[in-house]
Amino acid sequence: MKNKNTTWTTRILIFLIASGILLPMVHKDPYFLHICIIIFIWSILTFGIRIVLITGHLNAAQGGFLGMGAYFSAILTMKLGWSFWISLPASGLAVAILAMIVGYPILRVKGAYFVMITFGITEVFRQIWMMWKDMFGGPQGLFGVPKPSPIDIAGLHISFSSKMPFYYLALVVLLFTVLVMRRLDNSRLGITLRSLPQSEMLSESIGIPILLYKLIAFVIGAFFAGLAGSLWAHYFTYASPDDFNWTNSLFMLMYAVIGGTQTVLGPILGCMLLLSLDEVLIEFQEYTPIVLGLILIFILFYLPGGLISLPQKMGSLLKWRKK
Amino acid sequence: MTAGENRTLLEIKGLSKNFGGLAAVADLNFATEKGEIVGLIGPNGAGKTTVFNLISGFLKPTQGQVIFGGVNVTQKKPSWIAKKGLMRTFQANVLYNENTVMQNVLLGCHLHTGFGLMRDFLNTAETQQRKKQLDEKVMEILKFSGLYELRDELASNLSHGHQRILGICITLAAEPQLLMLDEPVSGMNAEEKNNMVELIKQINLKGITVLIVEHDMKVIMNLCHRIVVLNFGMKIAEGLPEEIQAHPKVIEAYLGVE
């Protein structure tokens, strides 16, 4: 049963990757590419919130980590003159180190208190960006973040002035995220992390240092938020404090829960469907939160495993009918 | 004395715990030797579970020391103490309910996987080999405890008796030197009790020292080499099962005096 599921997940993943690579060759509309890039960046973020979510913690600081990644990358390229290709991993690492410092004291706290603390952390970050004008540009943020510098791969000169190369860049980073997360899921770390919310007491009693494991999940999540932030800053060419507030964490949570947290497909599916829905409903923009909220309520009631569990649910329903 | 000291596995020295003004455990001293089964009994509220929590690190003692295998483990974290080989089960059925029996026991192997997280992440050939060995170890434990047939069942679907056995299997996978069992036969019927007693004897034969809290006197008298009796957080008697049964203070604590 489990093996069957994993082979299906692999098949769907390969299909998604293949269509991700081929689609822009058929459909070159820049607006379409823009939506895809947004979906890719949000998927990376959603993966980051999911890895903490499976330990039973809702990390509302993810929105703040996204912003920190964007600002770090902007500062590294604009003020220190680093190349984007170095500042992308560097901002991921910087945010991971930040998460390590922040996470150590706060990961002892559970449930609603953890949500409130991480929510507070995002707000503290936002205040820092607003107040520290010399470094972070104050309320209007940092403008003129350069596009990624051109590179030569296998004799091809790739410049990032158009959307297409950035599409592939975001896709590569997303693929990297998916690969890492998938390996984590099947490894001892993933299994242990998923066991934590079931009984922390039991885990502690058989020698699992739960604080360390939670910290590892938190830091990995923050690392990917940092990467996403860097992509964000260099795609939109600015980093502004208004973009990085705690509601971002809520949206990530919604995408993860609606898509399903069981497999790595969930976050991708959630981001794809809901962000496309956002675009479809763009005429009725002020009403989209209502639609999203209704979808969330429906999913929580009838599909607690998220959209990814739909085929399974349908299967068991059909069996039940036959009986 | 020197020869005796080498055999001592767990030593409790002047252990005390106050909850506010209430002394749950007061100046408790006892020791267990390697290979023993020691019973810890007493009326309800005598502080038995508190003693377990103090030894395993889930509670911090107000005073006193816990020495395990010559190492002072007082004030240490439960996971740190477990790493030294001191494991415990819980009074309630604490399991990974959403996982299968096999996965539950596999999680118990955490301390003895033999590979780090990074090598596991990279999934090298050596790690895969090691994982197969772990699976075999899990199967062995399940066969030993009689849960083998139920290996693919979700832990939450097991009967109460099987859940209690699974709780012990998880700790066995962690390869304890000292296993502390908190009321292992509570809520069981006669047949299940007999099986559990047999299982605990088998575990002891493997060379694992057992410290057991239990209300069922038949089980305690059947299993234990030595018994420590607590009342109101204080030790009122210690000795062989026969001695304890005839001890006036124990009879007083359980039945009261006229």
Side-chain angles (χ1 to χ4, degrees):
Chain A
M1 183 66 192
K2 201 194 161 199
N3 282 335
K4 208 174 153 192
N5 271 345
T6 40
T7 49
W8 266 107
T9 311
T10 316
R11 277 180 207 161
I12 296 172
L13 260 184
I14 291 171
F15 170 74
L16 282 178
I17 292 166
S19 43
I21 294 170
L22 296 176
L23 255 182
M25 298 179 184
V26 194
H27 200 70
K28 285 186 182 158
D29 179 20
Y31 178 64
F32 170 76
L33 292 180
H34 168 77
I35 308 290
C36 287
I37 293 167
I38 302 286
I39 291 176
F40 293 163
I41 293 177
W42 276 95
S43 298
I44 299 166
L45 283 166
T46 309
F47 273 114
I49 210 165
R50 171 185 171 266
I51 188 106
V52 183
L53 200 62
I54 59 175
T55 69
H57 289 73
L58 169 55
N59 175 12
Q62 195 74 349
F65 288 146
L66 163 71
M68 273 300 179
Y71 273 106
F72 277 145
S73 202
I75 291 167
L76 288 178
T77 46
M78 288 165 71
K79 303 207 165 149
L80 299 179
W82 289 22
S83 149
F84 164 79
W85 303 103
I86 301 168
S87 53
L88 172 71
S91 42
L93 285 177
V95 176
I97 292 167
L98 183 68
M100 212 182 290
I101 299 163
V102 172
Y104 185 69
I106 67 168
L107 277 163
R108 291 148 213 270
V109 177
K110 276 185 225 167
Y113 303 102
F114 183 79
V115 182
M116 283 164 75
I117 287 185
T118 46
F119 163 77
I121 285 169
T122 307
E123 276 311 295
V124 169
F125 285 170
R126 242 163 62 81
Q127 293 307 318
I128 293 173
W129 302 328
M130 303 270 256
M131 301 298 176
W132 196 351
K133 286 203 173 99
D134 303 336
M135 187 61 116
F136 297 106
Q140 67 269 49
L142 292 172
F143 275 83
V145 182
K147 288 267 180 191
S149 43
I151 46 162
D152 293 287
I153 296 178
L156 269 172
H157 185 75
I158 303 169
S159 112
F160 285 84
S161 48
S162 68
K163 295 233 188 274
M164 182 93 84
F166 206 94
Y167 171 95
Y168 281 110
L169 170 66
L171 182 66
V172 166
V173 179
L174 175 61
L175 275 184
F176 169 69
T177 317
V178 173
L179 283 179
V180 169
M181 289 299 176
R182 191 163 160 68
R183 255 308 330 122
L184 275 185
D185 261 16
N186 299 330
S187 76
R188 198 156 57 88
L189 178 63
I191 296 166
T192 311
L193 288 179
R194 274 196 300 270
S195 74
L196 285 184
Q198 298 180 46
S199 176
E200 289 194 359
M201 203 164 64
L202 178 59
S203 300
E204 186 82 47
S205 80
I206 52 175
I208 299 173
I210 52 175
L211 183 63
L212 178 68
Y213 272 76
K214 286 193 260 185
L215 190 63
I216 292 173
F218 193 69
V219 168
I220 292 174
F223 173 76
F224 285 107
L227 289 189
S230 176
L231 288 178
W232 182 300
H234 292 273
Y235 180 63
F236 292 111
T237 64
Y238 66 85
S240 137
D242 295 332
D243 284 345
F244 309 121
N245 48 36
W246 65 277
T247 48
N248 282 341
S249 311
L250 265 191
F251 278 111
M252 288 172 222
L253 172 73
M254 239 156 76
Y255 299 152
V257 170
I258 291 177
T261 52
Q262 290 297 324
T263 72
V264 288
L265 285 176
I268 303 180
L269 209 70
C271 288
M272 263 168 58
L273 289 177
L274 294 174
L275 286 165
S276 331
L277 189 74
D278 250 7
E279 292 307 320
V280 173
L281 295 178
I282 200 134
E283 304 245 329
F284 318 96
Q285 211 168 13
E286 52 273 47
Y287 301 112
T288 38
I290 301 179
V291 177
L292 284 181
L294 286 175
I295 294 177
L296 184 65
I297 292 171
F298 178 83
I299 294 276
L300 287 177
F301 262 108
Y302 297 105
L303 271 179
L307 285 172
I308 205 72
S309 68
L310 190 63
Q312 222 179 334
K313 190 98 180 175
M314 296 284 267
S316 59
L317 263 181
L318 283 177
K319 256 186 218 161
W320 183 70
R321 279 274 159 80
K322 270 177 194 163
K323 273 180 189 171
Chain B
M1 195 61 200
T2 43
E5 253 173 56
N6 287 336
R7 293 208 42 85
T8 308
L9 186 60
L10 177 73
E11 206 181 352
I12 311 291
K13 282 184 189 166
L15 199 66
S16 303
K17 176 73 186 177
N18 297 339
F19 293 115
L22 177 84
V25 178
D27 194 29
L28 182 69
N29 294 288
F30 75 90
T32 64
E33 289 188 358
K34 277 176 196 161
E36 264 190 322
I37 302 182
V38 177
L40 190 61
I41 62 170
N44 284 325
K48 304 177 298 279
T49 299
T50 308
V51 170
F52 261 36
N53 285 334
L54 289 172
I55 295 174
S56 57
F58 281 89
L59 283 175
K60 305 274 175 258
T62 318
Q63 255 182 353
Q65 283 184 325
V66 179
I67 316 275
F68 179 71
V71 184
N72 188 349
V73 298
T74 333
Q75 314 285 356
K76 292 280 197 270
K77 272 193 192 176
S79 57
W80 193 91
I81 295 173
K83 214 173 169 179
K84 292 271 169 268
L86 199 163
M87 311 277 169
R88 62 152 320 161
T89 62
F90 297 90
Q91 211 170 70
N93 285 333
V94 181
L95 303 166
Y96 300 116
N97 280 322
E98 294 158 35
N99 290 11
T100 65
V101 169
M102 245 175 77
Q103 288 165 338
N104 265 276
V105 182
L106 201 56
L107 277 161
C109 297
H110 173 85
L111 287 172
H112 305 279
T113 48
F115 47 83
L117 289 177
M118 204 57 209
R119 262 198 289 169
D120 184 27
F121 180 75
L122 298 172
N123 206 16
T124 57
E126 190 194 340
T127 321
Q128 285 174 10
Q129 183 68 29
R130 186 74 195 116
K131 274 181 181 163
K132 268 183 200 148
Q133 288 172 4
L134 279 183
D135 282 344
E136 276 163 27
K137 177 182 160 188
V138 169
M139 290 306 165
E140 233 169 73
I141 291 171
L142 289 177
K143 275 176 189 159
F144 169 76
S145 63
L147 287 181
Y148 185 70
E149 306 294 321
L150 298 165
R151 61 189 181 279
D152 291 325
E153 209 50 65
L154 282 185
S156 54
N157 292 346
L158 296 184
S159 70
H160 173 78
H162 286 140
Q163 285 190 343
R164 294 225 65 105
I165 294 178
L166 179 57
I168 294 177
C169 286
I170 297 173
T171 49
L172 279 184
E175 297 177 16
Q177 287 182 57
L178 174 71
L179 182 54
M180 305 204 295
L181 301 170
D182 200 349
E183 301 198 9
V185 302
S186 66
M188 286 184 166
N189 64 32
E191 195 197 335
E192 287 173 328
K193 275 183 190 176
N194 285 338
N195 289 341
M196 182 57 92
V197 167
E198 210 40 54
L199 181 67
I200 295 171
K201 280 182 178 167
Q202 290 295 324
I203 290 169
N204 185 238
L205 281 179
K206 284 185 162 189
I208 297 170
T209 312
V210 178
L211 181 63
I212 176 170
V213 161
E214 185 49 64
H215 277 295
D216 192 309
M217 283 308 139
K218 235 170 102 187
V219 170
I220 284 283
M221 295 303 162
N222 187 352
L223 271 175
C224 296
H225 304 140
R226 221 150 45 77
I227 294 173
V228 175
V229 190
L230 287 184
N231 197 17
F232 298 116
M234 278 177 283
K235 186 169 82 174
I236 56 171
E238 183 177 354
L240 303 172
E242 310 84 62
E243 290 170 7
I244 294 298
Q245 272 171 319
H247 201 289
K249 272 193 175 171
V250 177
I251 295 168
E252 185 190 322
Y254 271 90
L255 301 174
V257 278
E258 285 174 21

